[in-house]
């Protein structure tokens, strides 16, 4: 409210006196709320840092699991122009020679007749049945869709299209274009059949079936599977140019045919590359890098917690940096304790117990981890224990990654994770203190208004008394 500078009758600074009283009344209450707000904000920020660090480590461990970081296999092809290769953790080390004898290809047909592109030209009517493999569709061609463009659109846009595409080739000849049919998928099972026995007009000429006599449709490309020979002994086929798990855990992508010898086929006999050698081996470098990343991530988490919970006795008692924001906090201490317990927990693999120390990771006195510094020694540890390391970390349910994810989730889960619950509690407290400050401001506004009115009433009373005193003095002086 607006306050006058001074009382009209008393000469007192009513506005100043009111503000001083309000300030004196407000200060202890506001200081208490602001102190609590500051404490809550500091704690909320600190817990946020801990949760962020825990979540970062959890994300890294989850990525390790997806990427098979501790038990990965690497695969190489000595000629990726002919064949590329990928391997999963299921792959076993080995060397193979691959002959690419046949590439998978789609089925292609071309109608011999030329079709007019004139939108007014009627090409025929009736039912056209197109089949690819064991799937088929039936098109009803009538007066509203019997021109060339409409027929092609009807084939390509049909909801039950079995996997065939119709295109037009303009040959430059008088009379129009030829229709080409091709399958969207490769493989010898994906062959096209066209039944036009229920059709009239020019479209009836598109009938085709393997072995059909007097067909007016030419086969441009036969449908065929890809075919490879492994180590000149094992023939394998695929409906497409990708072979999955023919060799366990391995995916082969064929690019082009390798050469042959003495086949009387100059197209392949003249190819210099007769086979492609593929090699599958343990990805020990990836395992080593993953161990380093794990140690660094864990130490980063411990560093964050140590900074927030630490106490420096050498600093002055009034130094705000003497104690961390979470010094003495049991929840944060629980994160450290449970993680250390997990690191010390042995994991059984093939009837034998293993610990982190078996893989060159040791726990230091300050709670951090240290990876074997001698690179050659670490390489030997990984080489000798490669399969065990993979199982130690990635074993389903009982591996370290699974156990760590479950533990860290108990802290970070949005619903009932202890760190999340603590954050929610602090946010509620933060809101409550904001509400307290709002209420205090409202009370102080009312108190200011009330106090100011009281001073005005006092000023008015003094004015009346002064007026009465002045009247009495005037009356007494008149008696003289």
């Amino acid at each position: 409210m607006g306050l006058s500078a001074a009382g009209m009758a008393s000469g007192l600074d009513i506005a100043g006196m009111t503000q001083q009283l309000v300030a004196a009344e407000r200060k202890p209450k506001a200081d208490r709320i602001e102190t609590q707000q500051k404490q809550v904000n500091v704690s909320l920020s600190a817990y946020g840092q801990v949760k962020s660090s825990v979540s970062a480590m959890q994300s890294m461990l989850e990525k390790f699991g997806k990427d098979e970081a501790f038990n990965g296999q690497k695969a190489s092809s000595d000629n990726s122009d002919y064949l590329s290769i990928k391997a999963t953790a299921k792959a076993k080390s080995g060397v193979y020679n691959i002959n690419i004898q046949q590439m998978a290809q789609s089925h292609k047909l071309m109608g011999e007749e030329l079709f007019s592109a004139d939108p007014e030209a009627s090409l025929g009517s009736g039912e056209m049945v197109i089949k690819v493999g064991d799937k088929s569709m039936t098109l009803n061609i009538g007066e509203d869709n019997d021109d060339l463009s409409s027929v092609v659109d009807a084939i390509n846009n049909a909801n039950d299209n079995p996997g065939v595409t119709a295109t037009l080739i303009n040959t430059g000849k008088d009379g129009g274009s030829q229709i080409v049919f091709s399958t969207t998928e490769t493989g010898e099972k994906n062959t096209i059949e066209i039944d036009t026995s229920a059709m009239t007009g020019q479209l009836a000429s598109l009938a085709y079936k393997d072995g059909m006599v007097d067909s007016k449709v030419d086969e441009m490309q036969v449908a065929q599977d890809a075919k490879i020979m492994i180590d000149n002994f094992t023939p394998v086929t695929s409906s497409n140019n990708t072979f999955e798990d023919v060799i366990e855990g391995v995916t082969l992508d064929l690019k082009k045919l390798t050469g042959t010898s003495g086949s009387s086929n100059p197209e392949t006999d003249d190819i210099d590359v007769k086979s492609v050698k593929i090699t599958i081996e343990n990805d020990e470098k990836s395992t080593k890098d993953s161990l380093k990343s794990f140690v660094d991530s864990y130490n980063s988490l411990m560093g964050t917690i140590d900074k927030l919970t630490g106490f420096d006795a050498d600093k002055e008692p009034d130094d705000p940096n003497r104690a961390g924001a979470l010094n003495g906090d049991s929840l944060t201490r629980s994160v450290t304790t449970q993680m250390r317990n997990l690191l010390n927990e042995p994991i059984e693999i093939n009837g034998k117990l293993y610990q982190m120390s078996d893989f060159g990771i040791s726990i230091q006195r300050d709670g951090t981890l240290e990876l074997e510094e001698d690179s050659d020694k670490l390489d030997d540890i990984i080489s000798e224990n490669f399969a065990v390391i993979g199982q130690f970390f990635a074993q389903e349910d009982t591996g370290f990654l699974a156990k760590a994810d479950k533990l860290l989730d108990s802290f970070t889960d949005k619903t009932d994770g202890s760190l999340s619950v603590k954050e929610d509690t602090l946010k509620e407290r933060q809101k409550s203190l904001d509400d307290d400050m709002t209420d205090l401001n409202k009370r102080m506004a009312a108190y200011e208004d009330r106090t100011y009115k009281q001073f005005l009433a006092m000023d008015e009373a003094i004015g009346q008394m002064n007026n009465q005193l002045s009247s009495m003095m005037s009356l007494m002086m008149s008696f003289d």
Side-chain angles (χ1 to χ4, degrees), residues 2-7 12-21 448 452 455:
L3 304 178
S4 62
L12 296 174
D13 182 5
I14 293 177
M17 293 169 61
T18 300
Q19 291 171 352
Q20 289 177 19
L21 285 173
E448 180 182 42
Y452 183 70
F455 276 127

Side-chain angles (χ1 to χ4, degrees), residues 6-302:
M8 296 292 292
S10 65
L12 296 174
D13 182 5
I14 293 177
M17 293 169 61
T18 300
Q19 291 171 352
Q20 289 177 19
L21 285 173
V22 171
E25 180 71 17
R26 186 182 191 283
K27 188 176 188 308
K29 299 180 177 65
D31 286 351
R32 175 182 58 79
I33 295 174
E34 288 172 355
T35 298
Q36 292 178 351
Q37 285 178 321
K38 182 178 179 181
Q39 292 172 342
V40 169
N41 291 339
V42 169
S43 296
L44 191 58
S45 174
Y47 279 114
Q49 292 178 58
V50 174
K51 184 180 176 182
S52 178
S53 294
V54 172
S55 296
M57 184 170 187
Q58 187 176 19
S59 296
M60 183 197 69
L61 296 180
E62 288 176 352
K63 185 176 184 298
F64 278 165
K66 293 177 182 177
D67 294 347
E68 301 169 336
F70 295 99
N71 58 344
Q73 297 288 299
K74 62 180 180 179
S76 60
S77 162
D78 73 347
N79 200 322
S80 58
D81 289 338
Y82 285 79
L83 184 153
S84 63
I85 180 173
K86 294 179 182 178
T88 68
K90 292 182 180 179
K92 305 298 186 292
S93 298
V95 178
Y96 305 87
N97 286 296
I98 309 295
N99 300 99
I100 303 172
Q101 299 179 334
Q102 187 170 284
M103 299 290 290
Q105 59 188 28
S106 59
H107 196 202
K108 285 188 178 182
L109 307 175
M110 175 185 279
E112 295 176 355
E113 291 200 14
L114 296 175
F115 292 87
S116 172
D118 184 350
E120 300 299 324
S122 177
L123 304 180
S125 63
E127 289 187 350
M128 177 186 292
V129 180
I130 300 178
K131 184 178 180 182
V132 176
D134 57 359
K135 298 178 181 179
S136 66
M137 69 175 176
T138 301
L139 298 174
N140 291 302
I141 306 300
E143 293 181 358
D144 58 341
N145 66 342
D146 61 354
D147 62 285
L148 183 59
S149 177
S150 296
V151 171
V152 170
D153 288 344
I155 295 171
N156 294 334
N157 299 329
N159 292 330
D160 56 348
N161 186 304
V164 64
T165 300
T167 56
L168 298 175
I169 293 181
N170 188 346
T171 63
K173 300 176 183 177
D174 293 337
S177 302
Q178 291 175 279
I179 300 180
V180 175
F181 299 90
S182 58
T183 56
T184 56
E185 294 184 6
T186 57
E188 63 181 28
K189 290 184 178 180
N190 293 310
T191 57
I192 303 171
E193 291 183 10
I194 305 173
D195 182 359
T196 61
S197 59
M199 297 206 70
T200 62
Q202 196 178 4
L203 291 175
S205 68
L206 294 175
Y208 178 84
K209 186 175 183 179
D210 186 33
M212 182 177 176
V213 180
D214 298 329
S215 174
K216 293 184 179 181
V217 175
D218 295 327
E219 187 175 52
M220 300 172 64
Q221 179 173 283
V222 298
Q224 70 180 29
D225 291 344
K227 183 178 180 181
I228 62 174
M229 184 75 76
I230 301 175
D231 287 340
N232 290 318
F233 182 77
T234 307
V236 185
T237 61
S238 171
S239 62
N240 55 51
N241 291 313
T242 299
F243 288 74
E244 294 183 354
D245 285 328
V246 169
I247 300 171
E248 185 182 15
V250 174
T251 298
L252 305 175
D253 284 315
L254 310 189
K255 306 299 182 182
K256 55 185 177 180
L257 297 177
T258 54
T260 54
S261 299
S263 70
S264 299
N265 181 358
E267 184 179 345
T268 53
D269 280 350
D270 291 344
I271 298 174
D272 292 332
V273 177
K274 305 302 182 182
S275 66
V276 178
K277 184 174 75 173
I278 60 172
T279 304
I280 305 152
E281 55 190 327
N282 296 335
D283 193 353
E284 295 179 5
K285 182 181 183 303
S286 177
T287 299
K288 185 176 182 179
D289 292 342
S290 297
L291 290 174
K292 290 180 178 178
S293 295
F294 168 69
V295 169
D296 290 343
S297 179
Y298 181 84
N299 288 343
S300 176
L301 171 60
M302 292 300 108

Side-chain angles (χ1 to χ4, degrees), residues 394-403 406:
Q395 196 166 241
E396 189 174 356
D397 297 330
T398 58
F400 180 84
L401 296 180
K403 290 183 177 181
K406 184 177 180 180

Side-chain angles (χ1 to χ4, degrees), residues 296-353:
D296 290 343
S297 179
Y298 181 84
N299 288 343
S300 176
L301 171 60
M302 292 300 108
T304 297
I305 292 177
D306 183 62
K307 177 182 177 182
L308 294 170
T309 60
F311 181 83
D312 190 348
D314 294 334
K315 294 185 182 299
E316 295 297 325
D318 58 348
D319 189 327
N321 297 317
R322 192 182 195 205
L326 298 178
N327 178 250
D329 179 68
S330 60
L331 175 56
T332 311
R333 190 164 56 245
S334 175
V335 176
T336 304
T337 301
Q338 292 190 55
M339 282 302 298
R340 286 179 181 174
N341 291 341
L342 180 60
L343 289 169
N344 284 311
E345 185 177 317
I347 292 177
E348 183 177 346
I349 301 170
N350 300 326
K352 184 178 178 180
L353 295 177

